[in-house]
Amino acid sequence: MIILVSLILLEIFLRSFFDISTMIADEYSGYLYLASIFLGLAYTFSSDSHIRINIITSKLSKKANKKVDVFAAIIALGVLFFAFYRTVLLAYDSYEFEMLSENVSETPIYLTQLAMPLGIALFILAVIVFIFKGFTHDS
């Protein structure tokens, strides 16, 4: 996020005072934003910061709530493995077809897409740890 903000501030400064542009600020700020989202998923999950709808679980006992959470995490794991598989294929296809961005930088697209499977892989690890903690009754 620091690099993202710095790049945008640099672009603003250059345009305001020198009437020039980096020509890549918009493109790379998008890439950095994407990376920050995907790489933050695991941390957000581990710190219990994802949005949860707990209309049903709020009425359950603590033990039953833990079982529902573990069950939901197992389902989430299936979804995450599918998302991981698809994002790996996306990045691989971009690599195979030598896809470049349509902007001035002509950045290889697969490099920017690698943040997606990496972030999802970290998210998968966080969910696996959560499931094991649920089975061992750790808090």
Side-chain angles (χ1 to χ4, degrees):
M1 290 305 287
I2 292 171
I3 296 170
L4 171 72
V5 171
S6 300
L7 182 61
I8 292 171
L9 289 175
L10 175 66
E11 182 72 15
I12 291 169
F13 177 78
L14 290 175
R15 284 187 184 191
S16 297
F17 294 106
F18 300 106
D19 201 28
I20 60 173
S21 174
T22 61
M23 305 294 283
I24 63 165
D26 291 341
E27 175 186 6
Y28 276 78
S29 62
Y31 299 150
L32 291 168
Y33 186 63
L34 171 91
S36 69
I37 289 171
F38 275 90
L39 296 175
L41 289 172
Y43 173 76
T44 306
F45 181 77
S46 296
S47 63
D48 203 24
S49 299
H50 279 277
I51 295 173
R52 297 180 59 147
I53 300 171
N54 56 5
I55 277 180
I56 296 171
T57 57
S58 64
K59 299 185 186 330
L60 297 175
S61 68
K62 195 170 188 177
K63 186 177 181 181
N65 197 354
K66 187 78 141 174
K67 289 180 182 180
V68 169
D69 281 346
V70 169
F71 178 71
I74 291 170
I75 292 172
L77 207 53
V79 172
L80 288 171
F81 274 115
F82 177 75
F84 176 77
Y85 171 72
R86 296 303 301 175
T87 56
V88 167
L89 285 181
L90 176 69
Y92 181 74
D93 285 347
S94 296
Y95 173 77
E96 278 292 304
F97 292 119
E98 298 177 358
M99 296 176 71
L100 303 174
S101 72
E102 295 179 7
N103 295 318
V104 173
S105 71
E106 294 186 352
T107 304
I109 295 295
Y110 77 93
L111 291 175
T112 63
Q113 293 171 338
L114 288 176
M116 294 186 295
L118 179 60
I120 292 172
L122 293 172
F123 196 2
I124 288 170
L125 291 175
V127 172
I128 289 171
V129 167
F130 177 82
I131 291 169
F132 280 126
K133 280 183 178 181
F135 282 129
T136 59
H137 302 292
D138 271 344
S139 293

